[in-house]
Amino acid sequence: MASAQAATATRDVDVAIVGAGLAGLTAARDLVAAGKSVLVLEARDRVGGRVLNLKLANGGVTEGGGEFIGPTQTRMKALADSLGVETFATYNTGNNLLYKDGKKTPYATDGALGSVPPVDLAGLANAAIVQASLNDMAKQVPVDAPWTAPKADEWDRQTFETWLRANAVVPSAKFLLDVACTSIFSAEPRELSLLFVLYYIAGAGDANNPGTLERLTETAKGAQELRFVGGSQEVPIKLAATLGNRVLLNAPVRSIAKSGSRYVVSADGTTVTASRVIVAVPPPLAARITYDPLMPAARDQLTQRLPMASVAKAIAIYDTPFWRADGLNGQVVSDSGVISSTFDNSPPDASFGALMGFIEADKARQLDAASEAEVRTAVLKDFTTYFGAKAATPTSFALHRWNNEQYTRGGPVSIAAPGVLTQYGRSLRTPVGGIHWAGTETSVYWMGFMDGAVRSGERVAREVLAAL
């Protein structure tokens, strides 16, 4: 990898790729394997996009962004395997905790209810009906064209909140679905189109396994089942290393202009000419690039309507994962505080303890302007409520606020409000001339996840090779 400041002023390649996240790097890998010349332009001083290792004071690492994979996320697993990055099981031994109405309730995750928190029976029954309904409705949504679903217009005219209020009629059931929503999307139900939610559920699988809400929310047998030894960013770091000086850091792309039969991609410190361009960044950031000629109205209108959700991750580090001795697995579901869900983020050898908490949706936005010290105080108050006095005094603390990062501005995924998919969704993956689109938002399976990013990179590489 090189830096734009040290790079040759002008480069000429077959394909210029904007963004060195998993999507852009995967596309580059496949294009290079097919004999094409590529240059990946990355705005940051690192690779990985929304996948980021945080270095700790004790010499260890933890993940500040995407970190989990699970069943049917086969493309990310295959990529990691090819690079020698191993996986290990997310710690899931012992009881979960439900903190609701000021009461702390431990509960087993291997009983008849699985990991569903033990709210009242009426709430559990209502939540089960709602979950089954969502899964059934999702089966009617084509993963490659959700706007063609038989009830697409009806579902895209309403928010998920409106639908939940009509169906999750028991308050405790509504609580469970609200927590599921913010945990999956880092967005409130009122922000999401019902069709978008169903599309997301439909994509939580593969061609042989229909997507389900359970696969999105579960740890064992779900999307949070496995983690990566050394941290998830090991995958893009090692992938970028195989590409060498084809990856250029500190090179934010400012404009993409057509010049005859080729494209001129202008970045800080360098200019690239290419036959094809792959833009592999989140839609809101793709919209900030200047295009000549202008993007078609439908594409530009789409990117105006796909904001990033709101998320931060806070990780407290301890000498040991002390909660395990108390029979707890580190996973909490809560109705209060700034942290509504947690995980045990300790390394596989448990050489230190790490409690990770998500700050999501409204709660993340409320803390965007707070100091790190203020966030730390609020987080440790919650951790102490959940896990006791030992949680109040970590040896170190890590925080990553994606809303405040210049080249991401939120996460984990772009979200769609009512009317977006049916009116503008067709522009999500459709190339504009020689400009092609990648990134997890463009994946038909596992959108919003690392696996979706890898799938999109593989898809766009095939698309570009067919066009060259």
Side-chain angles (χ1 to χ4, degrees):
M1 287 176 285
S3 178
Q5 285 75 9
T8 305
T10 303
R11 300 273 289 271
D12 185 81
V13 294
D14 294 322
V15 185
I17 300 173
V18 183
L22 285 166
L25 294 173
T26 299
R29 173 203 65 182
D30 291 357
L31 290 166
V32 169
K36 303 302 179 184
S37 58
V38 306
L39 184 66
V40 183
L41 298 158
E42 171 54 50
R44 301 176 178 88
D45 61 359
R46 63 172 182 84
V47 299
R50 285 166 267 182
V51 179
L52 173 65
N53 282 357
L54 302 176
K55 295 181 180 179
L56 302 173
N58 64 8
V61 298
T62 192
E63 293 95 342
E67 65 174 279
F68 302 109
I69 64 167
T72 75
Q73 295 189 9
T74 53
R75 301 317 302 151
M76 180 62 180
K77 182 64 164 62
L79 174 60
D81 288 347
S82 73
L83 296 165
V85 181
E86 298 180 349
T87 57
F88 67 102
T90 302
Y91 191 79
N92 200 41
T93 301
N95 289 328
N96 280 29
L97 283 177
L98 170 65
Y99 186 80
K100 188 173 186 297
D101 301 325
K103 180 183 177 183
K104 188 162 56 176
T105 306
Y107 64 98
T109 61
D110 56 359
L113 299 177
S115 63
V116 178
V119 297
D120 56 279
L121 291 177
L124 289 172
N126 188 198
I129 292 170
V130 170
Q131 182 168 288
S133 295
L134 288 169
N135 288 339
D136 288 342
M137 293 157 66
K139 290 176 183 175
Q140 302 173 47
V141 178
V143 291
D144 59 344
W147 46 87
T148 66
K151 294 185 178 180
D153 288 338
E154 174 187 336
W155 292 338
D156 208 29
R157 283 198 299 267
Q158 60 186 300
T159 65
F160 189 38
E161 173 72 19
T162 301
W163 187 87
L164 283 177
R165 288 188 178 186
N167 291 273
V169 293
V170 179
S172 55
K174 179 65 162 58
F175 158 72
L176 292 177
L177 272 298
D178 284 348
V179 170
C181 179
T182 54
S183 298
I184 293 167
F185 298 100
S186 297
E188 304 292 339
R190 67 174 186 275
E191 299 180 84
L192 307 172
S193 156
L194 174 60
L195 178 62
F196 177 73
V197 171
L198 298 174
Y199 171 39
Y200 212 84
I201 294 171
D206 58 25
N208 299 314
N209 298 275
T212 65
L213 181 59
E214 301 94 299
R215 199 174 288 122
L216 285 166
T217 59
E218 294 288 338
T219 300
K221 300 181 181 179
Q224 286 69 233
E225 185 172 61
L226 299 174
R227 296 173 57 208
F228 292 97
V229 176
S232 52
Q233 198 187 1
E234 281 294 290
V235 177
I237 287 171
K238 290 190 173 185
L239 179 54
T242 70
L243 296 168
N245 63 6
R246 300 181 184 92
V247 180
L248 195 60
L249 303 179
N250 300 301
V253 170
R254 307 299 182 183
S255 66
I256 301 172
K258 197 166 192 303
S259 178
S261 62
R262 294 178 68 75
Y263 288 85
V264 178
V265 181
S266 298
D268 289 3
T270 194
T271 299
V272 185
T273 62
S275 297
R276 295 274 159 169
V277 180
I278 294 171
V279 178
V281 299
L285 297 185
R288 297 180 186 183
I289 299 170
T290 298
Y291 299 91
D292 182 14
L294 290 173
M295 281 290 114
R299 169 69 194 184
D300 195 76
Q301 292 275 314
L302 172 71
T303 55
Q304 291 179 43
R305 288 164 169 80
L306 288 177
M308 300 298 284
S310 300
V311 68
K313 289 179 75 173
I315 306 98
I317 307 303
Y318 305 91
D319 289 332
T320 64
F322 62 85
W323 50 92
R324 297 182 183 181
D326 297 329
L328 301 175
N329 62 17
Q331 296 174 44
V332 172
V333 173
S334 175
D335 68 348
S336 60
V338 300
I339 298 288
S340 56
S341 62
T342 68
F343 281 88
D344 181 330
N345 253 42
S346 309
D349 62 1
S351 54
F352 60 88
L355 276 177
M356 182 271 285
F358 286 107
I359 309 173
E360 300 179 293
D362 284 351
K363 294 174 181 178
R365 290 185 281 267
Q366 290 161 8
L367 291 172
D368 280 342
S371 68
E372 182 165 336
E374 290 170 329
V375 177
R376 183 183 190 274
T377 296
V379 169
L380 293 182
K381 179 182 178 182
D382 288 348
F383 284 176
T384 302
T385 297
Y386 307 148
F387 297 104
K390 291 180 182 178
T393 53
T395 58
S396 62
F397 184 83
L399 175 68
H400 198 81
R401 291 186 275 188
W402 290 96
N403 295 13
N404 296 352
E405 184 169 297
Q406 181 177 4
Y407 295 113
T408 312
R409 302 319 307 258
V413 68
S414 293
I415 55 176
V420 175
L421 287 179
T422 50
Q423 295 302 307
Y424 308 99
R426 291 167 179 81
S427 298
L428 189 59
R429 286 180 293 275
T430 303
V432 176
I435 302 174
H436 302 254
W437 312 106
T440 190
E441 284 83 4
T442 70
S443 184
V444 297
Y445 291 111
W446 290 110
M447 182 213 310
F449 290 77
M450 294 182 287
D451 190 76
V454 174
R455 288 174 186 270
S456 79
E458 293 173 339
R459 183 265 307 162
V460 81
R462 293 191 298 268
E463 187 177 283
V464 167
L465 287 171
L468 284 174

